[in-house]
Amino acid sequence: LPSAGFVAMGSGKPRGINAARKLRTVRRTQRWAQKRYKKAHLGTQFKCNPFGGSSHCKGIVLEKIGIEAKQPNSAIRKCVRAQLIKNGKKIAAFVPRDGCLNFVDENDEVLIAGFGRKGHAVGDIPGVRFKVVKVSGVALLALYREKKEKPRS
């Protein structure tokens, strides 16, 4: 009769007193098949992501644009084209809430954040992966609720 510690042969993984190196090297190569591990360790978020791996980024507004919503919706979503200060990349950012585009002027400094889907476009706005959070140092929500005023420049 086999004892409690007995393992059937052909289990697929090396077992034994000197097996640690083999287990470690196999695990190291196989981890690259995991999507989360690959995304974290390839370093593409620094090259490909306009923010360069950070959560927020400041930019200068180049122009205000209206982007048509995808089918079956029919609307013009108010966005801005902004040029990021840190690397000069140009991106489109959504301006949330009704009438908030009136608080944003050209050549304003805006703080831009992701849209909440880790680099994917949200909802019916095609190709827009970012949203405006602050305008010239004042939160857009505070301007919308009339708690603060935009500073005179």
Side-chain angles (χ1 to χ4, degrees):
L1 286 167
S3 64
F6 176 77
V7 179
M9 293 181 87
S11 62
K13 51 172 85 88
R15 301 174 195 270
I17 202 158
N18 298 327
R21 176 185 280 115
K22 179 76 171 173
L23 288 166
R24 202 170 61 225
T25 53
V26 168
R27 180 57 35 225
R28 190 186 303 141
T29 55
Q30 290 302 315
R31 281 187 87 176
W32 287 100
Q34 299 171 16
K35 188 182 172 192
R36 280 182 63 190
Y37 180 84
K38 198 165 197 171
K39 192 174 181 184
H41 290 83
L42 263 182
T44 49
Q45 75 245 39
F46 305 116
K47 297 179 191 171
C48 306
N49 182 9
F51 283 10
S54 60
S55 61
H56 294 68
C57 203
K58 280 186 179 177
I60 304 294
V61 176
L62 301 174
E63 59 175 343
K64 301 183 193 181
I65 51 175
I67 293 178
E68 283 189 38
K70 284 193 216 165
Q71 287 293 333
N73 294 349
S74 175
I76 294 174
R77 303 285 179 222
K78 309 302 185 283
C79 301
V80 293
R81 295 267 309 152
Q83 184 168 20
L84 301 184
I85 292 170
K86 72 191 282 183
N87 53 22
K89 289 183 180 175
K90 293 174 185 166
I91 59 170
F94 177 64
V95 182
R97 292 183 199 87
D98 188 11
C100 276
L101 193 69
N102 298 327
F103 297 121
V104 183
D105 298 315
E106 287 187 19
N107 302 320
D108 273 357
E109 189 181 84
V110 288
L111 184 70
I112 299 169
F115 216 162
R117 274 197 64 196
K118 297 190 176 130
H120 289 269
V122 174
D124 61 3
I125 316 171
V128 178
R129 300 157 47 195
F130 308 101
K131 67 180 177 185
V132 175
V133 182
K134 284 185 174 184
V135 184
S136 48
V138 182
L140 205 60
L141 186 62
L143 292 168
Y144 176 71
R145 291 186 176 157
E146 297 178 0
K147 302 277 184 193
K148 288 184 181 174
E149 280 191 9
K150 203 170 135 184
R152 303 267 177 260
S153 55

